[in-house]
Amino acid sequence: MELKTLREYIKEASEKGVAIGHFNISNIEALHGIYNAAKKLNLPVIIGVSEGEEEFIGKNEVATLVKEIREKDNYPIFLNADHHYSFESVKSAIDAGYDAAIIDAVKLPLEENILLTKKCVDYAKEFNKKNGRDILIEAENGFIGQSSKLLDKIPEGISEATMTKPEDAKTFVDQTGIDLLAPSVGNIHGMVKGGNPKLDIERIKEIRQACGVPLVLHGGSGISDEDFKKAIKAGISVIHINTEIRVAYKEALEKYLKENPNEVAPYKILAPAVEAIEQVVYNRLKLFNE
Ligand SMILES: [Zn+2]
């Protein structure tokens, strides 16, 4: 069976009322854990690397790893440049062979954000035409915080006022030509210890209708199963999970080292971490595809 493009898998997910999981990695162990889980469920999956994660694993290396799995196993696994902050870093991800990129210019004044986002879209379009690719560009509208970690409380600067307004989402999509939109709908990056805020499901519906492109939910860690299901039905087609994977990795590693203080073989030390990631991803993918 010939693989479809990421754009087609996302369209298919949106038509079926399911969502594709996007999971971040910093190393090859996480890639294996995620791929193992996706394979068990036979579902398409997106691997994400932020600028920091990408620097650690290597930009060309991660592109090669994902492409190798996709081509060797004929499996729908794709690579996304998650939250890249400059044109140069988006461009180099595209050039390296990524399948999608997020230009995150949300900190800039709106006019500058639009210009920079459009520049990335134009570059991707040109690249696609020249190389027969279909690389997608995503951008964020509204603010959702910035770090994938455990938080004591909801970060400063996040409120209903910073959530995406449907009319703004439409203008932003029209002016930039992006393929995917990451809205702010009560989601935040990171996991809040006392529980993450609830999603504004009505807002998701309105944004999806107004902007006309598939929506990506960032900051999926810590959101309740019920909210996920409702958000997907309301128009979310891709969901980002990062912090939960980081926590699972760290806890499995800590436990193993504590129980096996004399073990030095990395492939033994890290095996439980791969399994822990697989478990998290398996459960999330299953939920996103119910
Ligand atoms: Zn994000």
Side-chain angles (χ1 to χ4, degrees):
M1 195 185 71
E2 202 179 328
L3 292 181
K4 296 191 246 301
T5 63
L6 178 57
R7 187 191 302 277
E8 290 166 333
Y9 283 108
I10 293 173
K11 184 165 180 276
E12 198 177 86
S14 136
E15 285 163 2
K16 280 194 206 156
V18 299
I20 298 179
H22 171 295
F23 305 96
N24 287 67
I25 66 167
S26 305
N27 53 27
I28 195 167
E29 294 89 83
L31 176 63
H32 288 317
I34 295 162
Y35 182 44
N36 292 346
K39 251 193 315 193
K40 279 192 180 155
L41 293 161
N42 195 25
L43 290 168
V45 70
I46 305 170
I47 301 297
V49 282
S50 66
E51 287 183 344
E53 288 162 342
E54 171 184 274
E55 201 183 304
F56 187 76
I57 193 170
K59 186 173 280 187
N60 291 303
E61 289 85 343
V62 69
T64 305
L65 284 168
V66 173
K67 187 164 173 267
E68 173 68 15
I69 295 176
R70 181 168 63 225
E71 292 179 356
K72 179 176 64 70
D73 294 358
N74 194 41
Y75 195 90
I77 183 167
F78 300 95
L79 180 63
N80 179 41
D82 191 13
H83 295 281
H84 278 43
Y85 294 99
S86 66
F87 172 73
E88 289 68 31
S89 77
V90 167
K91 178 182 178 298
S92 64
I94 292 173
D95 294 347
Y98 286 42
D99 304 291
I102 301 176
I103 174 67
D104 183 339
V106 96
K107 284 254 162 127
L108 297 178
L110 186 61
E111 288 300 301
E112 285 174 50
N113 179 346
I114 289 171
L115 283 177
L116 176 54
T117 303
K118 176 118 192 2
K119 191 175 173 189
C120 295
V121 169
D122 289 345
Y123 182 77
K125 279 198 179 136
E126 199 52 39
F127 186 93
N128 288 343
K129 223 188 284 170
K130 258 192 240 157
N131 300 282
R133 298 286 318 275
D134 190 12
I135 295 160
L136 306 177
I137 299 292
E138 174 184 334
E140 190 177 312
N141 185 258
F143 187 59
I144 52 179
Q146 287 194 306
S147 58
S148 296
K149 59 184 182 190
L150 291 172
L151 306 163
D152 290 320
K153 59 181 177 51
I154 297 170
E156 299 284 328
I158 303 240
S159 68
E160 205 176 328
T162 57
M163 283 195 203
T164 311
K165 293 170 193 64
E167 61 276 19
D168 292 351
K170 180 181 173 9
T171 313
F172 187 71
V173 170
D174 288 348
Q175 291 184 339
T176 56
I178 49 170
D179 304 291
L180 302 164
L181 178 75
S184 166
V185 288
N187 50 322
I188 53 166
H189 282 126
M191 269 168 94
V192 184
K193 285 176 186 160
N196 281 46
K198 281 188 92 63
L199 297 178
D200 187 339
I201 302 298
E202 216 31 60
R203 191 182 293 268
I204 296 173
K205 264 187 218 160
E206 288 167 14
I207 294 169
R208 178 67 181 88
Q209 276 190 344
C211 78
V213 297
L215 302 182
V216 180
L217 185 70
H218 284 239
S221 299
I223 290 175
S224 73
D225 289 5
E226 252 344 277
D227 261 14
F228 270 133
K229 282 193 220 165
K230 286 188 208 155
I232 295 167
K233 299 300 168 216
I236 294 290
S237 303
V238 177
I239 299 177
H240 281 226
I241 301 281
N242 190 358
T243 314
E244 287 176 6
I245 298 176
R246 292 178 168 186
V247 171
Y249 179 91
K250 185 185 169 217
E251 285 177 353
L253 186 55
E254 266 175 350
K255 181 166 178 281
Y256 185 89
L257 289 173
K258 216 171 142 205
E259 288 169 2
N260 304 275
N262 297 321
E263 185 54 63
V264 292
Y267 65 89
K268 287 186 185 162
I269 293 172
L270 290 164
V274 174
E275 267 169 49
I277 291 173
E278 180 181 329
Q279 200 53 50
V280 168
V281 173
Y282 182 90
N283 291 336
R284 284 314 189 194
L285 283 175
K286 216 161 158 251
L287 178 73
F288 299 163
N289 286 275
E290 267 177 10

